[in-house]
């Protein structure tokens, strides 16, 4: 089974974006709220958006199931207040739940969290735990997106290892679900979103984990760092050396029981480096399609986000390595996924 652990509903019907624009504008101008009930999207609109987008590409590439979340860049946690973020998260998550219901067994939900920056952070973390529980217990979601920078480009929050986040981690452990540590948009003009903020965020959050005792406090907590870990594989020796200089345990001992990386790397040499440096048991197949890069690579004739093609070009991986990366790791890191797929299969017998 080929499981793509990193998909976003980037092709959502335009009504979703229009509702969000009204939500932000209304709150900023008057402090009033736009009700989630005012959003109207028909099932046929969802089917068209998915069938002509993500599902078409999944079928072409042999992807059996995708872990599907709201568009990460549009989480935009800095807008409005805590209620703004909560309403937007619930609207977005409920739309993803509808996708999963319309295409059972092909998409499984991963939720957006209602984070807020600044003084609202602590309260928003408690709201995150509640929204995670709602999505897991009511909609069959199997994980969440956790933004290490809810200020969206200015890095004004404490590290994800700060105790302010512990109520969320307690709920993640209780529910046995992981988080993908994924930044959202960048409103900082010095930090472009997909190529600067995303990759810098992956790199920064890895160092936060290395310098903490988070996994001592939560030994079963699991996190996925997307986009191949940003600069992590390229600078693995630097991380190892700094940990050694600071008297920390070996890097592998510090993180590899709890931290995983996806294959959203869009050239062969980068993919080779990822799977050479990071053990196969810590790599999950992913493409992030349709997402950050949508064009075709003239050097290969394949879309940049066709990571299955790139992974197939990597020599030296054993059959066991490929089995782990293609799906077995996802089933282990997202243990609720197997139950969702089993229930779907049973319903279709």
């Amino acid at each position: 089974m080929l499981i793509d652990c990193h998909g976003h509903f980037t092709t959502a019907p335009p009504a979703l974006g229009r509702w969000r624009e009204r939500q932000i504008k209304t709150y900023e101008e008057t402090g009033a709220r736009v009700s989630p009930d005012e959003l109207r999207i028909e099932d046929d609109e969802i089917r068209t958006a998915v069938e002509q987008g993500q599902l078409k590409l999944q079928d072409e590439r042999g992807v059996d199931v995708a872990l599907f979340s709201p568009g990460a860049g549009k989480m935009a946690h800095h807008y409005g207040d805590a209620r703004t973020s909560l309403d937007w998260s619930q609207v977005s998550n409920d739309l993803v739940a509808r996708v999963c219901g319309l295409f059972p067994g092909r998409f499984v939900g991963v939720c957006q969290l209602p984070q807020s920056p600044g003084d609202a952070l602590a309260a928003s973390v408690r709201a995150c735990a509640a929204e995670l529980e709602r999505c897991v217990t009511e909609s069959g979601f199997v994980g969440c997106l956790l933004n290490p920078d809810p200020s969206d480009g200015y890095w004004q929050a404490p590290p994800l290892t700060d105790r302010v986040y512990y109520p969320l981690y307690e709920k993640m452990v209780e529910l046995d679900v992981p988080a993908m540590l994924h930044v959202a948009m960048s409103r900082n003009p010095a930090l472009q979103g997909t190529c600067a903020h995303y990759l810098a965020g992956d790199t920064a959050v890895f160092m936060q984990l290395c310098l903490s005792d988070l996994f001592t406090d939560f030994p079963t907590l699991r996190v996925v760092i997307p986009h191949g870990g940003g600069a992590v594989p390229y600078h693995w020796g630097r991380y190892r050396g700094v940990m050694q200089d600071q008297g920390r345990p070996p890097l592998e001992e510090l993180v590899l029981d709890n931290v995983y990386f996806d294959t959203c790397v869009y050239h062969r040499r980068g993919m080779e480096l990822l799977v050479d440096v990071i053990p196969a048991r810590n790599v999950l197949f992913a493409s992030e399609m349709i997402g950050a890069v949508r064009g075709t690579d003239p050097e290969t004739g394949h879309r940049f986000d066709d990571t299955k093609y790139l992974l197939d070009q990597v020599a030296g991986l054993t059959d066991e390595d490929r089995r782990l990366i293609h799906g077995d790791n996802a089933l282990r890191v997202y243990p609720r996924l197997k139950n969702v797929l089993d229930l779907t299969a049973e319903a279709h017998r």
Side-chain angles (χ1 to χ4, degrees):
M1 176 176 287
L2 186 60
I3 300 171
D4 189 334
C5 78
H6 189 169
H8 301 300
F9 197 8
T10 52
T11 60
L16 179 67
R18 292 194 295 267
W19 183 92
R20 175 62 162 165
E21 289 173 2
R22 287 196 300 114
Q23 183 203 32
I24 294 169
K25 183 177 181 180
T26 300
Y27 181 79
E28 288 180 344
E29 293 181 350
T30 68
R33 309 288 180 183
V34 175
S35 171
D37 293 337
E38 295 182 25
L39 177 63
R40 295 284 188 272
I41 297 177
E42 301 299 325
D43 284 354
D44 284 347
E45 295 178 78
I46 298 174
R47 288 192 185 94
T48 298
V50 173
E51 289 174 346
Q52 295 180 1
Q54 288 85 354
L55 192 61
K56 176 177 181 289
L57 293 175
Q58 284 178 212
D59 288 341
E60 290 175 0
R61 300 174 189 179
V63 175
D64 296 293
V65 58
L67 303 189
F68 208 53
S69 60
K74 295 181 179 179
M75 293 189 295
H77 292 111
H78 72 277
Y79 283 118
D81 62 359
R83 173 68 183 277
T84 305
S85 187
L86 179 60
D87 285 350
W88 174 231
S89 295
Q90 290 183 338
V91 162
S92 301
N93 292 333
D94 289 347
L95 188 60
V96 166
R98 290 177 65 188
V99 172
C100 299
L102 290 170
F103 300 94
R106 301 304 305 274
F107 298 93
V108 178
V110 170
C111 68
Q112 172 178 320
L113 296 176
Q115 298 173 249
S116 289
D119 293 339
L121 177 62
S124 80
V125 169
R126 294 190 291 274
C128 289
E131 177 63 5
L132 174 63
E133 183 167 39
R134 181 185 80 92
C135 289
V136 170
T137 59
E138 297 181 13
S139 299
F141 283 30
V142 298
C144 60
L145 301 180
L146 176 58
N147 183 359
D149 174 32
S151 67
D152 291 331
Y154 286 97
W155 290 90
Q156 296 168 337
L160 285 184
T161 54
D162 191 274
R163 295 188 70 87
V164 71
Y165 290 100
Y166 275 32
L168 174 61
Y169 298 148
E170 289 166 359
K171 183 59 65 175
M172 288 171 57
V173 168
E174 175 190 330
L175 297 171
D176 199 18
V177 297
M180 176 171 281
L181 308 182
H182 200 309
V183 296
M185 67 174 290
S186 172
R187 60 189 175 113
N188 183 340
L191 201 60
Q192 189 271 347
T194 54
C195 291
H197 187 45
Y198 277 23
L199 303 184
D202 305 331
T203 307
V205 77
F206 180 75
M207 194 60 184
Q208 293 178 9
L209 298 173
C210 289
L211 291 175
S212 80
D213 295 316
L214 179 64
F215 300 128
T216 300
D217 292 342
F218 297 99
T220 62
L221 187 69
R222 300 178 303 281
V223 299
V224 179
I225 300 181
H227 319 117
V232 173
Y234 190 71
H235 286 292
W236 193 254
R238 176 178 290 239
Y239 291 107
R240 288 178 53 239
V242 169
M243 294 304 99
Q244 179 176 291
D245 289 348
Q246 296 196 6
R248 302 281 291 165
L251 189 56
E252 293 79 3
E253 181 181 322
L254 266 177
V255 296
L256 289 186
D257 286 337
N258 307 86
V259 180
Y260 301 85
F261 302 83
D262 78 13
T263 64
C264 290
V265 180
Y266 295 158
H267 69 130
R268 180 178 58 82
R269 295 293 296 278
M271 188 75 77
E272 289 172 341
L273 178 68
L274 172 67
V275 300
D276 183 52
V277 173
I278 305 299
R281 66 183 179 85
N282 289 83
V283 179
L284 280 66
F285 175 77
S287 68
E288 201 180 10
M289 62 90 173
I290 302 170
V293 182
R294 303 192 179 199
T296 297
D297 186 345
E299 295 180 4
T300 68
H302 289 255
R303 287 174 56 127
F304 281 98
D305 63 7
D306 188 352
T307 53
K308 175 61 164 57
Y309 167 78
L310 294 172
L311 189 62
D312 287 347
Q313 308 310 303
V314 175
L317 288 173
T318 67
D319 290 344
E320 172 68 7
D321 291 339
R322 294 188 186 278
R323 185 174 62 81
L324 290 171
I325 295 170
H326 284 174
D328 281 11
N329 287 338
L331 292 170
R332 178 166 51 89
V333 175
Y334 294 83
R336 286 180 173 266
L337 176 58
K338 183 179 186 302
N339 186 54
V340 172
L341 297 178
D342 286 348
L343 288 173
T344 301
E346 181 66 27
H348 284 78
R349 285 185 184 137

